[in-house]
Amino acid sequence: MKNTGAVNVVRENTPRGRAGVGFAGRMAGFTLTELMIVVGIVAILAAIAYPSYQEQVRKSRRAQAKADLVEYMQGAERFFTVNNTYVGYPVPAQSPREPGATAFYTIAASTQTASQLVLTATAVGAQARDRCGDLSVSNTGLKTESGTAELADCW
């Protein structure tokens, strides 16, 4: 112990002879190599996960369009029951139809006669890359798609 007047100071000897350095003289932290390995692993995981995420987003948008097509066709059937014609049925313009919602499909009647109606949902924007393409449903219940995927995967 060293007497410095009114305060007594105790100094301990460390293995390297210096005070204040922990872990037996080694500084704590990560090396650049360790950080680069972690960055590489995260990049690989992101490269695998992001396309899967995008496909799930497209799939959920497609599900909304399918639900809207079926709902619009039910409205058309009610219109037909009252008027005995599909002519004059007001087809909504987009899916989803809520005000202010971003449209991922445009809805149109590709065929609209007195006895036949075919509603088609055409993918727009980022949804145009969907593997199912455009979706259609007719008044007879016939469902079609224009993409590369199987009909069962799309409907």
Side-chain angles (χ1 to χ4, degrees):
M1 269 182 29
K2 189 181 205 183
N3 190 349
T4 59
V7 178
N8 290 328
V9 176
V10 177
R11 293 198 178 194
E12 296 179 13
N13 290 328
T14 60
R16 301 200 66 179
R18 296 181 299 163
V21 179
F23 302 105
R26 186 173 162 205
M27 298 296 290
F30 298 107
T31 65
L32 181 60
T33 304
E34 291 169 333
L35 287 176
M36 293 310 295
I37 289 171
V38 170
V39 167
I41 291 171
V42 169
I44 290 169
L45 290 175
I48 293 168
Y50 190 69
S52 296
Y53 168 75
Q54 290 293 354
E55 180 60 28
Q56 290 302 316
V57 168
R58 284 190 290 272
K59 187 176 178 181
S60 69
R61 292 173 182 160
R62 183 182 339 124
Q64 177 67 48
K66 292 187 312 186
D68 287 345
L69 279 176
V70 170
E71 182 181 345
Y72 301 155
M73 190 54 74
Q74 288 174 347
E77 290 301 319
R78 287 191 297 274
F79 182 88
F80 182 82
T81 301
V82 171
N83 301 300
N84 202 28
T85 183
Y86 290 109
V87 176
Y89 173 67
V91 179
Q94 70 179 31
S95 174
R97 65 178 177 197
E98 290 77 18
T102 302
F104 296 104
Y105 286 89
T106 57
I107 307 291
S110 54
T111 302
Q112 189 172 18
T113 65
S115 62
Q116 187 179 14
L117 178 65
V118 177
L119 295 179
T120 301
T122 304
V124 295
Q127 193 65 22
R129 291 191 294 267
D130 186 32
R131 61 192 181 100
C132 289
D134 302 336
L135 304 171
S136 296
V137 63
S138 73
N139 62 303
T140 61
L142 177 66
K143 298 173 181 175
T144 61
E145 51 81 25
S146 67
T148 59
E150 295 291 323
L151 182 64
D153 293 336
C154 297
W155 278 97

